[in-house]
Amino acid sequence: MNVNEMITELTQRLEDIGGSEFTQVMKIDALNNAQDRLVGLLDNKFLTELETLEQWSSSTNEPKMVRGLFSLSSLSNPVLNGSEGIIAVKIHGQKYMNRINMSDVKQFDSNMVESNISDPYYVVFSDRIELVPTTTILAILLDVYYMKKPSKLIVDGTCDLNAGLHYLLIGFAESYCWSNSEEFNRSKDAENMVVSQLNIMKSKLEGQGV
């Protein structure tokens, strides 16, 4: 559903058809807070609509590493959950790079060793990607596959998330609205319904051995 339809559904749940208690601005804020919370709780398997491939472009000359460093802020979209949102990194027109964990950096990193670009390794921090070991190569053109943060919800807009998640999002928004009006029992009931569904989804995923 689009954002206007989400607002209508939320209004009905809040029994506020006239909008006397919850303004449209309040509902939009609640929906955006709910979206942020929902994507933070869901496994990436449920967020495939947010998967983004950003390939190096000659028009922007991005994305690219400069002396072995690439800032995540250089991507066209904010990355969901920082380092966890990076799915894969590839040298443009060549092979995929090998990702390593922070705990393995020491065995690779050395001021005396230059990265082997034919078989490169990298580590991801919350705000950047670093080649390991470092390199003196000025620029390495990249293709970055990552999870983007969903766009903010606005009136007359659409939602980036799968349609199957929209009612869960509205449920969290309902909980926020009831809490703001100090209807704490109703807030908890709305939240519990969403959490219960999320637990079922998680159990099914675990049952598939994912």
Side-chain angles (χ1 to χ4, degrees), residues 1-7 24-25 27-29 31-32 35 150-160:
M1 67 184 81
N2 59 39
V3 177
N4 290 354
E5 290 169 332
M6 288 181 170
I7 293 172
Q24 184 162 269
V25 171
K27 292 169 190 171
I28 286 290
D29 284 346
L31 287 167
N32 276 302
Q35 180 172 249
S151 302
K152 287 289 184 183
L153 302 173
I154 59 173
V155 175
D156 297 329
T158 57
C159 179
D160 291 340

Side-chain angles (χ1 to χ4, degrees), residues 35-59:
Q35 180 172 249
D36 289 344
R37 183 178 182 190
L38 185 61
V39 298
L41 293 173
L42 284 169
D43 188 281
N44 285 352
K45 294 280 191 302
F46 296 110
L47 299 171
T48 55
E49 285 75 13
L50 302 180
E51 293 178 2
T52 304
L53 174 60
E54 193 158 331
Q55 298 176 297
W56 177 81
S57 167
S58 58
S59 60

Side-chain angles (χ1 to χ4, degrees), residues 131-167:
L131 206 61
V132 181
T134 188
T135 180
T136 57
I137 297 175
L138 180 59
I140 301 173
L141 312 183
L142 300 176
D143 299 334
V144 183
Y145 188 32
Y146 65 101
M147 303 289 294
K148 70 174 184 177
K149 285 186 178 180
S151 302
K152 287 289 184 183
L153 302 173
I154 59 173
V155 175
D156 297 329
T158 57
C159 179
D160 291 340
L161 303 185
N162 184 287
L165 301 175
H166 290 182
Y167 283 105

